[in-house]
Amino acid sequence: MVPLKIISSGAALPPLKITSAELDIRLGKSAGYVEQRSGVEHRFHGDDRASQVELAAEAITDALRRGNIPADSVDLLIFASAIPVQALPYSAAHVLKASPLREGISTFDVNASCVSFISALQVAAGLLNTGAYRRIAIVSAELASRGINWAHEESSIILGDGAACAIVEKGDGRSGILSCLMETYPAGIDLCHIRAGGTRRNPRAGIDDKDFLFHMDGKRLFRLAASLIEEYWARLLTAADCEMADLATIVPHQASQVSLEHMRRRLKVPEDVLVDIYRHHGNQVSASIPTALHYAITHQRFTPGKPVALVGTAAGLTLGGMVLLP
């Protein structure tokens, strides 16, 4: 086991609650259509002036407050999100400026799309165990609504905004990572993407307004992920030397109603083990897993001595998972 202790968590949401009934009207659908198709009752969207940086800072502040942690005790900030604030400088620098954390600490970004938080936890554990840092804040923040293509029904009705933070230490060795497994299958690289934002699509190489919007081929993406997930789960659990029945809590990426139902049925995950906040948050991209983890922690579903799994699929196509002992 790699020692790691989550000592506090926090979350933040923009104030604007968007109900599926409102989207029925916006999209010209009959009453109840969006909720039936998406499985979402409501989700939260920032307005056009909302700041991803401020949302991240709110989540950090919430985690510090809940854990009664002095802001100046954190010596590394990791921003773990799919979408950056801008190309340069990197997002963690922006978040540090807006947060209560002290100036001059180390900061950097980790991006593995929707499973960025899991990658950041693995990186944080490694750094804590070298003695390079003592206390690390990991925050994921997304304004997914900023990239919605309202002409694409499949994705436009499931996306929500939000941020979540976890503060971690090495701990006393009784808690930590039992296994972590990240696998990427580039066959799915064009099934979920935003083309703009880097060197591939820009004013000189050629660009279109739609390149800034989210595109997803949900059916093909689900089929590819479903064909891989069962064997992936077996490898993740074998590495942790445990079985599905040993897991007290499973915290999945809240990708879609279909993906959560697939996990329940195909992987035989009991209702009381799976953390499902999708109905009231939608798909929050990288903020999805840490927000669901925060829910588990605040609802007494993250208990010392009882293994917890974080797992998700991400653009790439990437499968990411971690088995933790709280």
Side-chain angles (χ1 to χ4, degrees), residues 125-153:
L127 292 170
L128 289 167
N129 280 277
T130 66
Y133 301 99
R134 189 176 70 85
R135 184 171 285 170
I136 300 174
I138 304 168
V139 65
S140 300
E142 301 283 8
L143 289 177
S145 63
R146 197 67 55 84
I148 287 177
N149 180 354
W150 290 106
H152 187 251
E153 178 186 302

Side-chain angles (χ1 to χ4, degrees), residues 233-234 237 242-248 250 263 267-270 273 309:
W233 259 109
L237 293 177
C242 66
E243 298 179 359
M244 187 72 76
D246 298 324
L247 300 176
I250 296 176
M263 187 170 290
L267 300 178
K268 298 180 175 59
V269 177
V273 172

Side-chain angles (χ1 to χ4, degrees), residues 10 38 56 65 73 77 92 97 107 119 138 148 150 157-158 183 191 238 251 272-273 286 303 310 312:
S38 69
R65 179 185 60 80
S73 69
L77 169 65
K97 182 180 179 180
T107 66
S119 288
I138 304 168
I148 287 177
W150 290 106
I157 60 178
I158 67 172
E183 297 180 354
L191 302 181
T238 297
V251 181
D272 61 345
V273 172
S286 73
T303 307
L310 313 180

Side-chain angles (χ1 to χ4, degrees), residues 1-6 169-177 325-326:
M1 183 172 69
V2 179
L4 179 73
K5 182 70 175 178
I6 297 176
E169 296 178 346
K170 180 180 178 180
D172 58 11
R174 290 182 292 182
S175 61
I177 299 171
L325 199 62

Side-chain angles (χ1 to χ4, degrees), residues 154-196:
E154 181 182 26
S155 61
S156 66
I157 60 178
I158 67 172
L159 293 173
D161 300 342
C165 173
I167 300 177
V168 298
E169 296 178 346
K170 180 180 178 180
D172 58 11
R174 290 182 292 182
S175 61
I177 299 171
L178 298 176
S179 68
C180 185
L181 187 61
M182 308 292 292
E183 297 180 354
T184 299
Y185 298 87
I189 201 167
D190 291 323
L191 302 181
C192 184
H193 60 245
I194 297 175
R195 294 187 183 93

Side-chain angles (χ1 to χ4, degrees), residues 9-184:
S9 65
L13 293 166
L16 189 61
K17 181 191 289 186
I18 305 295
T19 67
S20 286
E22 291 175 280
L23 291 186
D24 286 335
I25 297 171
R26 176 168 186 162
L27 299 174
K29 303 296 184 180
S30 59
Y33 176 88
V34 170
E35 185 170 346
Q36 183 180 9
R37 287 294 301 273
S38 69
V40 181
E41 181 181 302
H42 64 253
R43 75 289 285 149
F44 294 84
H45 286 175
D47 62 24
D48 290 343
R49 297 178 302 278
S51 166
Q52 183 183 7
V53 168
E54 292 176 4
L55 201 59
E58 287 177 27
I60 294 169
T61 301
D62 189 41
L64 293 170
R65 179 185 60 80
R66 289 176 182 272
N68 194 27
I69 297 168
D72 62 4
S73 69
V74 174
D75 49 6
L76 171 62
L77 169 65
I78 303 175
F79 182 78
S81 292
I83 303 300
V85 175
Q86 63 185 59
L88 286 171
Y90 62 100
S91 301
H94 289 272
V95 174
L96 178 63
K97 182 180 179 180
S99 80
L101 303 179
R102 62 183 171 87
E103 183 176 326
I105 67 170
S106 182
T107 66
F108 59 81
D109 295 352
V110 167
N111 185 349
S113 300
C114 295
V115 292
S116 296
F117 181 78
I118 297 176
S119 288
L121 270 180
Q122 185 181 30
V123 171
L127 292 170
L128 289 167
N129 280 277
T130 66
Y133 301 99
R134 189 176 70 85
R135 184 171 285 170
I136 300 174
I138 304 168
V139 65
S140 300
E142 301 283 8
L143 289 177
S145 63
R146 197 67 55 84
I148 287 177
N149 180 354
W150 290 106
H152 187 251
E153 178 186 302
E154 181 182 26
S155 61
S156 66
I157 60 178
I158 67 172
L159 293 173
D161 300 342
C165 173
I167 300 177
V168 298
E169 296 178 346
K170 180 180 178 180
D172 58 11
R174 290 182 292 182
S175 61
I177 299 171
L178 298 176
S179 68
C180 185
L181 187 61
M182 308 292 292
E183 297 180 354
T184 299

Side-chain angles (χ1 to χ4, degrees), residues 1 220 277 279:
M1 183 172 69
R220 290 177 63 196
I277 62 169
R279 185 169 180 79

